[in-house]
Amino acid sequence: MTSPARFFRVIACVYELHDEVAAITLDEAARRRLADELRFLRETLRETVSADAYAELTRLDRPLGPDPTQDELRVACSELLGWLIALLPEAERAAGGPLEAEPREGPEGAAGGPPAPDEGARAGETAAEGSAPPGDVRPAPDTP
């Protein structure tokens, strides 16, 4: 995997396209545009994944014709998304480890809440004893 960040952008794009093509009816112009986008994403993957992985994709890939139907586009998006999901472990290893599935939630349910226990604490301290996260204006808890 030469560029995990690019891979993650491609998979996010394909995931969104997959949802869109499943949710709406595409006219002829939209179908052509989606087919072009899928071709572009496949070419982007050529520069992103290993040569072996790309060779596997080309063996599995069914080229889209000049005027694909919506069903053909749905199948193409699903096949590409499935293949990308199968490569996630390789991408995570290349990026340096597993990625968080979802952001942590704060006390009010907002993403990006305060650090998890022990995260951000100085050596030997618990998160409650450590300094507050940057920008945190809450008063420090009273200690006995």
Side-chain angles (χ1 to χ4, degrees):
M1 178 93 32
T2 60
S3 178
R6 184 182 293 168
F7 176 84
F8 291 120
R9 287 192 300 271
V10 168
I11 197 169
C13 184
V14 172
Y15 184 81
E16 290 299 319
L17 290 173
H18 179 267
D19 285 353
E20 289 291 323
V21 76
I24 61 175
T25 301
L26 302 173
D27 62 14
E28 183 179 343
R31 289 191 309 269
R32 285 187 182 149
R33 169 85 176 148
L34 180 57
D36 289 344
E37 187 66 22
L38 288 172
R39 288 181 194 105
F40 171 77
L41 290 168
R42 285 186 178 108
E43 285 304 310
T44 300
L45 289 168
R46 177 191 306 259
E47 303 163 1
T48 306
V49 299
S50 69
D52 290 341
Y54 189 77
E56 177 183 282
L57 176 62
T58 58
R59 284 191 305 273
L60 299 174
D61 190 25
R62 293 180 187 95
L64 293 169
D67 191 20
T69 67
Q70 185 155 348
D71 288 339
E72 289 173 324
L73 291 167
R74 283 184 181 135
V75 169
C77 279
S78 294
E79 288 175 339
L80 183 56
L81 183 59
W83 183 82
L84 291 167
I85 289 170
L87 285 182
L88 274 175
E90 179 182 335
E92 288 177 336
R93 280 191 301 275
L99 302 176
E100 260 187 47
E102 295 184 23
R104 275 191 307 274
E105 294 193 13
E108 293 79 34
D118 295 327
E119 190 175 310
R122 286 174 267 168
E125 295 179 333
T126 66
E129 297 169 337
S131 61
D136 191 358
V137 293
R138 293 176 290 181
D142 292 333
T143 55

